[in-house]
């Protein structure tokens, strides 16, 4: 597997571009759409913490590669997503740190972004497995991951601290290389139905 490096990916009117300080104001606006930081089961930054959130994402390289999710025509930032827990020695990446402004949730945005990231991971980087993880109480995220075709690997009990100080269980999912052709076909089918 080749280690992920900053790249711009584009499909269906969306562009994933490397997240940087220039996205701060637009990402702050995206977080305000739905006041997403108030959800205890997400890592969405409060508006005044966006610069720190971006700096942290950049400091995590090479273990994390963060993207801004941009509407290609308007340039409006819709949210962010990342490759993380990148382990080239075993051909593994995870996709996460994903959140979108409320007004584009349950649209083609998540499916398109995941198709772009999965295709790049399996077809370009040569990954053997792509993982996902979410809070045990984030049922919407679990359903979205399962709609992608990922399989549930299990639950890591008492795994990570939430912003409110409580400790979550983490639900783990993955897609392995042999499953990718069927997952890709399903994602393309879902996007075609929305078109």
């Amino acid at each position: 597997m080749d280690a992920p490096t900053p790249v711009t990916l584009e499909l269906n009117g969306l562009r994933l571009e490397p997240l940087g300080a220039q996205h701060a104001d637009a990402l702050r606006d995206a977080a305000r759409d739905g006041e997403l930081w108030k959800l205890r089961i997400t890592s969405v930054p409060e508006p005044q913490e966006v610069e720190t959130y971006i700096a942290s994402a950049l400091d995590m390289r090479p273990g994390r590669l963060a993207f801004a999710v941009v509407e290609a025509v308007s340039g409006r930032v819709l949210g962010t997503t990342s490759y993380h827990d990148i382990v080239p020695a075993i051909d593994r990446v995870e996709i996460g740190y994903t959140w979108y402004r409320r007004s584009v949730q349950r649209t083609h945005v998540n499916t398109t972004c995941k198709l772009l990231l999965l295709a790049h991971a399996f077809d370009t980087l040569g990954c053997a497995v792509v993982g996902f993880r979410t809070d045990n109480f984030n049922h919407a995220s679990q359903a979205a991951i399962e709609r992608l075709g990922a399989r549930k690997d299990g639950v890591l009990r008492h795994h990570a601290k939430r912003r409110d100080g409580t400790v979550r269980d983490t639900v783990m999912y993955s897609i392995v290389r042999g499953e990718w052709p069927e997952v890709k076909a399903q994602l393309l089918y879902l996007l075609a139905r929305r078109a």
Side-chain angles (χ1 to χ4, degrees):
M1 170 185 137
D2 295 327
T5 57
V7 65
T8 298
L9 306 169
E10 195 163 343
L11 180 71
N12 290 344
L14 297 179
R15 183 174 62 247
L16 300 182
E17 60 188 42
L19 183 67
Q22 73 274 17
H23 296 109
D25 287 339
L27 204 60
R28 192 178 349 273
D29 182 61
R32 285 188 182 118
D33 181 351
E35 298 183 333
L36 301 174
W37 66 90
K38 291 183 178 179
L39 300 171
R40 70 184 284 268
I41 54 174
T42 69
S43 61
V44 179
E46 293 187 36
Q48 69 273 13
E49 296 173 348
V50 165
E51 284 85 1
T52 302
Y53 181 87
I54 293 171
S56 175
L58 297 177
D59 286 345
M60 291 171 75
R61 285 185 183 167
R64 179 177 174 195
L65 181 59
F67 297 89
V69 179
V70 181
E71 194 173 55
V73 173
S74 69
R76 181 173 70 139
V77 172
L78 305 180
T80 183
T81 191
S82 297
Y83 286 132
H84 66 94
D85 286 77
I86 300 164
V87 189
I90 59 169
D91 302 333
R92 180 185 174 90
V93 301
E94 292 187 34
I95 296 173
Y97 294 93
T98 301
W99 58 269
Y100 309 108
R101 57 176 60 237
R102 176 148 313 184
S103 59
V104 301
Q105 292 176 11
R106 299 188 180 270
T107 67
H108 75 289
V109 171
N110 187 54
T111 306
T112 299
C113 289
K114 294 306 188 291
L115 177 59
L116 282 167
L117 291 171
L118 287 165
H120 187 69
F122 285 118
D123 300 337
T124 303
L125 300 175
C127 289
V129 63
V130 176
F132 304 86
R133 62 177 75 180
T134 190
D135 189 292
N136 61 303
F137 284 118
N138 194 339
H139 302 293
S141 179
Q142 290 174 49
I145 293 168
E146 290 170 10
R147 272 193 306 274
L148 297 173
R151 294 190 184 178
K152 187 174 181 179
D153 295 322
V155 178
L156 299 175
R157 304 284 307 274
H158 200 77
H159 180 247
K161 192 175 269 191
R162 295 185 186 100
R163 77 170 82 232
D164 67 2
T166 60
V167 179
R168 79 178 201 183
D169 293 346
T170 299
V171 185
M172 303 292 294
Y173 293 87
S174 65
I175 299 170
V176 296
R177 188 186 337 244
E179 297 163 346
W180 169 233
E182 180 61 25
V183 168
K184 181 178 182 180
Q186 179 65 9
L187 294 177
L188 290 169
Y189 169 76
L190 292 173
L191 288 170
R193 286 186 58 199
R194 286 185 181 269

